Amino acid sequence: MNAQGSTATECDFIVIGAGMAGLAAAEQLSLDGRVIVLEQESSPAFHATGRSAALFADSYAERNIQCLSRISRPCFEAPPFAVDGPLLHPRGLLHIRLWDNLPLPPDDKRAIYPRLDGKDLTDLLPVLNPEAVIEAFYEEPAADIDIHALQTALIRELRTRGGQIQLSAKVEVARRIGGRWQVTAGGQTYQAPVVINAGGAWAGQIATLFGARDPGVSPLRRTAVLVEPPAGMDVTRWPMVVNLEETMFFKPESGKVMVSPADETPCPPHDAYPEELDVATAVDRLETVTTLSVRRVVTSWAGLRTFMPDRLPSIGFDSGVEGFFWLAGQGGSGIQTAPGQGILTRYIVTGNAGGLSQADRDMLIRAFSPARFDAIAA
Ligand SMILES: Cc1cc2nc3c(=O)[nH]c(=O)nc-3n(C[C@H](O)[C@H](O)[C@H](O)COP(=O)(O)OP(=O)(O)OC[C@H]3O[C@@H](n4cnc5c(N)ncnc54)[C@H](O)[C@@H]3O)c2cc1C
């Protein structure tokens, strides 16, 4: 029992969710206070974070997300904490224009990358089908992210600073008492003035639990399929390939080829699994843009990419519920932008800018403010 006569465990910040968003925010907030992360599953990174394609591409998504990626890149290249190995590994990203894709608008960030054709293109990726691909741009700095190494480093850093991760601790009850949140999870009670909602696909449900309005958090399923390459074919140095309209992508993964139909099927938050039709579509699209003929699907999985109604994340305090902070809606860029999200979260919550420039923080706070949905309330 503490001085207030409560058996609750006290801390400065409660983070709900041990995916990449929650872990990055927890690591940053632990610079300023005691953090407890509450995770419903028995291991961290069980949902979207553990199912991603793990690519870092500067060109990905629109300009505010690109800004968050720019802020994040140095944390991957020269992490400010101990890591067990490099967090980025060279991969490269080939943006291909298929015969039915519109050309890139000149102001599109992808258009700045070198256009590859002829031998340059076949040297890079011998299996591309020349009848399907009419143009290609090569984003060489795109890299694979070692998610496990990043996650391990963030957890270690958090613990070193006295923070805690409680697994099998689903947040089920929340009450605001005397300027603090009292939260019950896994049979224990925790108290903190600030709660960070990093619940991924569950962020809307968590908001409702805390008395905040869900402005339309949408989990969208995305499928990944691992196929066996032809015998003797070394795929390990292939770049990742994505078409301009993102209706398919493929990349090497553990000596095999991972392919996705880039599906976006709305569904409730749950432990996502692949549908047969999406697996077949992935294989069909791979066989269309390459000369490969798929002999065997090794395995497949699906994860939920979660979006706010305007497809930008919400990062900031709820305008109607005191001490309730949104860190949700990371969509398809939640791994590569995680360090930047953590830095921005720390700045908004504690005022410590951690090297974030004023221009960047002004722009991002405005773009990601949860209050942007107030006008469409109720
Ligand atoms: C197939 C696929 C490919 C992708 N490719 C990329 C990529 O190449 N690059 C990239 O940057 N991003 C990619 N993404 C997106 C990226 O994976 C997500 O944006 C990111 O993982 C979101 O992290 P998160 O922490 O918000 O969510 P999650 O990892 O889902 O974490 C949320 C956590 O909250 C927990 N939780 C929910 N409710 C509660 C509760 N009540 N109590 C306690 N815990 C709770 C959940 O159990 C979960 O662990 C991809 C995603 C998919 C599915």
Side-chain angles (χ1 to χ4, degrees), residues 18-307:
M20 198 49 87
L23 294 177
E27 184 274 329
Q28 280 293 299
L29 290 170
S30 70
L31 291 162
D32 303 290
R34 180 150 191 264
V35 182
I36 297 183
V37 180
L38 302 174
E39 167 55 53
Q40 65 185 353
E41 303 294 348
S42 57
S43 59
F46 181 83
H47 290 288
T49 296
R51 305 171 192 210
S52 105
L55 193 83
F56 187 112
D58 301 289
S59 67
Y60 191 71
E62 58 73 75
R63 67 190 177 92
N64 293 291
I65 293 173
Q66 288 170 1
C67 173
L68 212 46
S69 303
R70 171 170 55 72
I71 294 164
S72 300
R73 198 180 247 283
C75 306
F76 286 105
E77 289 176 340
F81 38 71
V83 282
D84 298 332
L87 296 179
L88 291 185
H89 298 269
R91 171 59 57 207
L93 176 60
L94 194 63
H95 300 277
I96 56 169
R97 180 176 160 211
L98 298 177
W99 64 272
D100 56 348
N101 290 169
L102 292 171
L104 277 184
D107 60 342
D108 190 298
K109 186 150 191 211
R110 293 168 292 182
I112 65 167
Y113 295 108
R115 197 170 177 275
L116 290 193
D117 46 27
K119 186 168 176 323
D120 291 339
L121 192 53
T122 40
D123 281 353
L124 184 69
L125 194 65
V127 296
L128 270 190
N129 175 0
E131 283 173 18
V133 179
I134 56 171
E135 204 175 17
F137 300 86
Y138 187 42
E139 182 176 348
E140 195 171 3
D144 281 344
I145 301 169
D146 187 334
I147 294 183
H148 188 258
L150 176 58
Q151 167 195 327
T152 305
L154 293 173
I155 293 174
R156 188 167 46 217
E157 205 63 17
L158 172 69
R159 289 189 172 138
T160 305
R161 298 192 196 121
Q164 250 176 280
I165 297 198
Q166 298 294 337
L167 299 172
S168 306
K170 178 176 180 178
V171 173
E172 287 179 304
V173 180
R175 292 186 299 167
R176 188 84 178 162
I177 304 170
R180 299 176 80 72
W181 283 109
Q182 193 173 87
V183 166
T184 306
Q188 305 288 320
T189 304
Y190 305 87
Q191 273 192 182
V194 173
V195 166
I196 312 290
N197 175 11
W202 287 263
Q205 290 184 0
I206 292 169
T208 307
L209 186 68
F210 281 76
R213 192 179 65 92
D214 173 2
V217 172
S218 302
L220 306 180
R221 187 180 65 235
R222 177 152 290 189
T223 307
V225 182
L226 206 60
V227 303
E228 192 83 64
M233 185 179 279
D234 179 10
V235 304
T236 52
R237 289 175 190 275
W238 286 3
M240 177 155 158
V241 178
V242 62
N243 69 323
L244 295 188
E245 288 167 8
E246 203 183 320
T247 55
M248 68 88 61
F249 66 80
F250 64 94
K251 68 177 289 203
E253 172 71 43
S254 316
K256 307 206 172 356
V257 181
M258 170 189 168
V259 53
S260 172
D263 43 333
E264 294 200 336
T265 309
C267 42
H270 70 296
D271 185 359
Y273 53 88
E275 296 286 343
E276 253 176 56
L277 182 61
D278 294 321
V279 173
T281 305
V283 170
D284 180 60
R285 291 190 183 159
L286 182 68
E287 290 183 333
T288 303
V289 303
T290 66
T291 53
L292 294 171
S293 166
V294 173
R295 290 171 306 143
R296 190 169 80 88
V297 168
V298 180
T299 186
S300 58
W301 66 91
L304 302 179
R305 297 155 82 243
T306 297
F307 292 87

